[in-house]
Amino acid sequence: MNNDTRLNLAHYLCQRFYCQPTGRELSCALDLPSSSNNLSALVEWINQLYYQERSNDLLWWERRLQRQLESKGYHL
């Protein structure tokens, strides 16, 4: 997955989970406080997992993010 694809995936996940790309709630929820906004937090989160999982499936990413958020106490 190249950088543009990861950025597009991050945009998609923002839309899917009703987050503004410029917001900061995912930075906190994903434990990525150095990220400047939701979009950069998602890109960083995708980068971390992609090198382990190598998944290109959108549904897999949605479920993984949902599990991550629910494990932190966020109910979707």
Side-chain angles (χ1 to χ4, degrees):
M1 185 184 306
N2 65 32
N3 288 335
D4 288 338
T5 304
R6 290 179 197 158
L7 185 59
N8 287 337
L9 176 58
H11 273 285
Y12 169 79
L13 290 171
C14 274
Q15 290 175 338
R16 173 66 180 84
F17 288 90
Y18 306 107
C19 298
Q20 292 295 322
T22 56
R24 295 219 7 110
E25 60 271 13
L26 292 179
S27 299
C28 298
L30 297 174
D31 292 327
L32 299 168
S34 63
S35 298
S36 60
N37 56 42
N38 288 335
L39 196 58
S40 64
L42 281 171
V43 168
E44 188 175 339
W45 178 77
I46 290 167
N47 284 337
Q48 289 173 356
L49 286 177
Y50 183 72
Y51 291 117
Q52 297 169 6
E53 304 292 335
R54 299 268 190 226
S55 178
N56 291 322
D57 180 25
L58 284 178
L59 188 55
W60 183 89
W61 285 102
E62 282 182 38
R63 288 178 179 159
R64 184 68 185 227
L65 180 57
Q66 184 171 2
R67 277 188 275 145
Q68 175 84 22
L69 294 175
E70 286 175 348
S71 74
K72 299 289 182 179
Y74 295 91
H75 296 284
L76 307 171

